[in-house]
Amino acid sequence: MSTQKFQAVRGMNDILPDQSGAWAFLETTLRRWLALYGYSEVRSPVLEPTGLFVRSIGEVTDIVEKEMYTFVDSLNGESLTLRPEATASCVRLAVQHNLLYAGPQRLWYMGPMFRHERPQKGRYRQFHQCGAEALGFAGPDADAELILMTARLWEMLGLKEVSLEINTIGSLECRQQHRRKLVEYFGQHVELLDEDSKRRLHTNPLRILDSKNPALSDLIEGAPRLMDALDDASAEHFESLQALLQAAGLQYRINPRLVRGLDYYNATVFEWVTPLLGAQSTICGGGRYDGLVEQLGGKPTPACGFAMGMERLLAVLQETRTEPLPEPGPDVYVVHQGEAAQQAAFLAADQVRSAGFAAVLHCGGGSFKSQLKRADASRAAYAMILGEDEVRAGQVSLKPLRGQGEQKTVSLAQAIQLLRT
Ligand code: HAM
């Protein structure tokens, strides 16, 4: 028989047992946090019609131009795309199921997203986002709540070294006007632009401002600023947002160059950034997208939201938390020796679980010493020991594996009682 070994697709990670504790901790905290703010979970398919993303994210964005996993379903010829983000999916879901007829909606999601980017630390081709979308809220209080909410999450998680950047990109009209000014300005300095920026000059000049090329930084610094051409409504919205953030004592920096890489935004945009992840500095990004619901076939509905990259969050958490992330093990690991003990251990483990405690039964024999090593490696709080002596006396020994405490030989019922204390 020929054999073949496979590797996961490049940029798509396995989550292994020694990492899943940290993931579970993050997911549990996120669920608790989202519930505190009255958000309801939605789950949408990872595959959507390609047009959904092209229309909402924008045809000349990096994501749509070169990062989507798009293929034709050979069974019916439909063009499908693995979701690169879920705001579009969330709006599609709300419109399709008429959720907004019942009034504004606060929705959240968590799950894998797919972008064909060059993998590096903090940047993967399958990554996970947790996002929240507030649909049907026009006022700056909704934007402020979303931002404050993320700040409170960092506290809950013990996350440090993140800072907030905000900006307003105004209305569609004032962006178009700004765009014309940018094309004119960069057009006058075309010889200074790199290939990427030249290409963007007529497709998406706003993205030139986002360029990481240091050779362009002076040119970008001198570019016309959107802030200077802002429409009154956006300026007022931004002022009120800032007043709310200040009232909540939140520190932030206005970054006039913050434009975000998706086309659906207007007015508020924000990002939480960290110096710890090199080039992948954004752990959470979002903003207002008042035109998207209508663009995707719904009634005109103002909206705003954010999404955070869970891999990036975990990476920053691992570096900045004072306490290590939990690596949970079972409550007891049951070790045994001899035939009678094997059966007694099998039944004891069953009873421990019925009492609501996690029990791992040692399988595969071996000396007590090697079994206890396994017990320790399982991160169990206790080893439950059943040797010939214990079985004869109708008892078990409970040996604490973490911290202080003595081994006790007692009845199984008493041992379960000890687990409760
Ligand atoms: P985004 O900025 O494209 O926004 O992604 C949000 C977050 O996902 C980023 O800040 C980053 O933490 C994480 N992320 C993005 N790409 C990758 C990658 N290749 N590998 C690892 N992490 C990544 C959105 O997706 C919008 N839907 C956010 C939003 C929601 N706006 C309004 N509502």
Side-chain angles (χ1 to χ4, degrees):
M1 190 182 65
S2 73
T3 61
Q4 193 180 353
K5 210 168 155 184
F6 291 95
Q7 299 268 319
V9 175
R10 190 165 127 78
M12 304 203 177
N13 300 318
D14 297 310
I15 295 170
L16 302 177
D18 66 348
Q19 302 161 330
S20 53
W23 278 87
F25 165 77
L26 177 59
E27 286 163 9
T28 310
T29 312
L30 287 170
R31 284 173 188 278
R32 198 153 42 88
W33 163 69
L34 287 153
L36 285 179
Y37 290 82
Y39 277 73
S40 306
E41 184 181 5
V42 290
R43 300 186 191 194
S44 61
V46 292
L47 273 181
E48 296 273 7
T50 304
L52 172 66
F53 300 116
V54 177
R55 286 232 55 191
S56 52
I57 298 171
E59 221 155 332
V60 286
T61 55
D62 280 354
I63 297 180
V64 170
E65 274 186 344
K66 50 185 191 211
E67 295 170 2
M68 295 208 304
Y69 283 91
T70 295
F71 61 95
V72 174
D73 180 343
S74 61
L75 297 178
N76 61 9
E78 209 181 332
S79 180
L80 301 176
T81 293
L82 278 169
R83 62 179 183 197
E85 62 106 48
T87 306
S89 307
C90 210
V91 171
R92 196 260 314 130
L93 170 153
V95 171
Q96 179 176 339
H97 300 280
N98 300 322
L99 296 189
L100 293 161
Y101 286 14
Q105 298 282 325
R106 289 180 161 92
L107 307 175
W108 71 267
Y109 51 83
M110 183 149 65
M113 309 291 155
F114 304 85
R115 294 184 194 176
H116 201 286
E117 295 190 83
R118 202 162 43 77
Q120 52 178 251
K121 186 181 175 197
R123 187 164 73 190
Y124 309 104
R125 290 181 174 173
Q126 174 174 324
F127 59 97
H128 296 76
Q129 276 186 352
C130 174
E133 311 292 354
L135 307 178
F137 300 91
D141 49 345
D143 314 39
E145 186 183 89
L146 283 168
I147 293 173
L148 183 63
M149 185 174 163
T150 45
R152 295 290 176 250
L153 174 67
W154 314 146
E155 288 170 13
M156 278 172 87
L157 287 169
L159 187 90
K160 298 189 190 80
E161 298 206 39
V162 285
S163 57
L164 174 63
E165 299 197 344
I166 62 172
N167 190 21
T168 178
I169 57 170
S171 66
L172 192 63
E173 298 76 54
C174 86
R175 270 214 311 289
Q176 275 163 351
Q177 205 184 14
H178 178 237
R179 189 193 140 110
R180 278 194 293 276
K181 284 193 191 153
L182 278 181
V183 174
E184 201 181 310
Y185 171 80
F186 286 121
Q188 285 163 357
H189 301 93
V190 107
E191 70 289 350
L192 300 175
L193 296 179
D194 57 18
E195 280 315 305
D196 238 11
S197 304
K198 273 188 196 142
R199 197 172 44 82
R200 284 176 172 152
L201 184 55
H202 293 286
T203 53
N204 200 350
L206 214 64
R207 297 286 287 154
I208 302 178
L209 301 178
D210 230 11
S211 167
K212 304 271 187 291
N213 183 352
L216 294 184
S217 62
D218 282 350
L219 186 64
I220 290 173
E221 204 48 52
R225 289 155 42 118
L226 183 70
M227 277 287 190
D228 301 332
L230 208 58
D231 58 291
D232 290 349
S234 299
E236 250 170 58
H237 199 277
F238 197 50
E239 283 303 315
S240 312
L241 167 66
Q242 289 187 63
L244 286 166
L245 296 181
Q246 284 162 16
L250 267 191
Q251 303 271 326
Y252 61 87
R253 180 172 91 87
I254 298 178
N255 175 0
R257 303 284 169 225
L258 179 64
V259 290
R260 313 259 313 123
L262 305 95
D263 274 0
Y264 48 63
Y265 292 112
N266 68 284
T268 314
V269 288
F270 67 92
E271 288 188 350
W272 285 94
V273 294
T274 173
L276 298 176
L277 296 179
Q280 312 313 315
S281 56
T282 310
I283 56 163
C284 174
R288 185 158 275 287
Y289 49 94
D290 291 331
L292 188 60
V293 177
E294 187 180 12
Q295 196 189 342
L296 296 178
K299 289 217 179 95
T301 307
C304 50
F306 60 74
M308 54 190 74
M310 294 170 69
E311 283 81 0
R312 291 186 192 176
L313 255 182
L314 281 173
V316 178
L317 261 185
Q318 247 128 16
E319 288 199 35
T320 62
R321 244 175 86 95
T322 30
E323 282 182 24
L325 286 171
E327 291 184 44
D331 298 302
V332 296
Y333 188 100
V334 187
V335 305
H336 51 88
Q337 195 112 73
E339 214 168 293
Q342 185 178 20
Q343 194 184 65
F346 181 79
L347 298 174
D350 189 47
Q351 285 194 40
V352 170
R353 295 181 196 116
S354 299
F357 295 99
V360 170
L361 177 64
H362 181 80
C363 291
S367 66
F368 265 134
K369 197 169 162 216
S370 72
Q371 292 191 36
L372 283 170
K373 254 195 191 154
R374 284 280 183 83
D376 200 45
S378 78
R379 302 194 203 94
Y382 292 92
M384 184 174 275
I385 305 167
L386 287 93
E388 279 172 18
D389 291 348
E390 280 90 354
V391 174
R392 218 174 295 120
Q395 292 185 313
V396 299
S397 293
L398 202 61
K399 177 181 162 70
L401 297 175
R402 312 264 166 259
Q404 308 292 324
E406 287 169 17
Q407 178 169 327
K408 292 196 173 120
T409 303
V410 292
S411 71
L412 180 59
Q414 284 168 323
I416 290 174
Q417 207 49 47
L418 285 174
L419 292 177
R420 289 208 171 94
T421 55

